[in-house]
Amino acid sequence: MRLDILCMINEGAIPFRGDDEDQVGPPSIPSTLKSWAWLVCEQRGLICPTTTDVPALAAFLTRHSAWAAGQEWIPDMIEEVGALRRAAHGLAPWTVHVQQLIGPCPSCELRALIRTAGEDWIECDTDLGGCGDLWSAAEYEAHTKEILSGQGMSS
């Protein structure tokens, strides 16, 4: 095994072996996204984007995600995109910022609410003993204002 592939495996990258068994390495992000964009276009009768720009392809696939969710091949797409994320993380690790919020959950009243960077929802984290409910930022903000106004009146 080549040293660079061994290093990637040891650092957490997922090795990828194509159908012909002669290509080894992390999956190509642009090629994989382009393939899924092509399939979406073929099945929807659209013109396929000519770009290999990852943000543009990701935006295209995002625009068609509600439709794609109903297709029989969606589990394969999810698996391949997940493999891309794991390979990218193995090559350039990052950590996701998780902020634990101080207000209690509106459902279970436990202080198990977290906000994950890049997510639109606030979650009552089951790992912290919470109920797993999701709240929008607006719902959480209204809840905390309600609590604070109630505390201020009882003082």
Side-chain angles (χ1 to χ4, degrees), residues 35-60:
S35 295
W36 286 110
W38 178 83
L39 181 63
V40 168
C41 290
E42 180 181 82
Q43 291 190 358
R44 297 200 83 181
L46 303 171
I47 296 172
C48 193
T50 57
T51 184
T52 56
D53 180 63
V54 170
L57 289 168
F60 174 84

Side-chain angles (χ1 to χ4, degrees), residues 45-97:
L46 303 171
I47 296 172
C48 193
T50 57
T51 184
T52 56
D53 180 63
V54 170
L57 289 168
F60 174 84
L61 290 169
T62 300
R63 285 193 303 275
H64 296 278
S65 62
W67 174 83
Q71 303 309 304
E72 64 183 25
W73 43 258
I74 195 66
D76 295 330
M77 181 182 182
I78 290 169
E79 184 179 327
E80 282 192 23
V81 172
L84 293 177
R85 186 197 59 77
R86 289 187 300 275
H89 189 269
L91 296 171
W94 67 86
T95 57
V96 176
H97 178 70

Side-chain angles (χ1 to χ4, degrees), residues 20-147:
D20 54 12
E21 296 294 319
D22 71 346
Q23 300 295 314
V24 177
S28 166
I29 294 172
S31 295
T32 302
L33 296 181
K34 183 79 171 169
S35 295
W36 286 110
W38 178 83
L39 181 63
V40 168
C41 290
E42 180 181 82
Q43 291 190 358
R44 297 200 83 181
L46 303 171
I47 296 172
C48 193
T50 57
T51 184
T52 56
D53 180 63
V54 170
L57 289 168
F60 174 84
L61 290 169
T62 300
R63 285 193 303 275
H64 296 278
S65 62
W67 174 83
Q71 303 309 304
E72 64 183 25
W73 43 258
I74 195 66
D76 295 330
M77 181 182 182
I78 290 169
E79 184 179 327
E80 282 192 23
V81 172
L84 293 177
R85 186 197 59 77
R86 289 187 300 275
H89 189 269
L91 296 171
W94 67 86
T95 57
V96 176
H97 178 70
V98 177
Q99 175 188 16
Q100 190 165 356
L101 303 174
I102 58 171
C105 173
S107 291
C108 68
E109 298 186 10
L110 292 176
R111 294 185 188 279
L113 296 177
I114 61 168
R115 179 181 298 154
T116 304
E119 296 292 327
D120 294 331
W121 297 96
I122 294 166
E123 177 184 358
C124 187
D125 191 8
T126 56
D127 290 341
L128 297 173
C131 64
D133 281 357
L134 297 175
W135 304 95
S136 70
E139 290 170 325
Y140 174 74
E141 187 176 318
H143 178 64
T144 55
K145 283 182 181 177
E146 200 175 273
I147 291 170

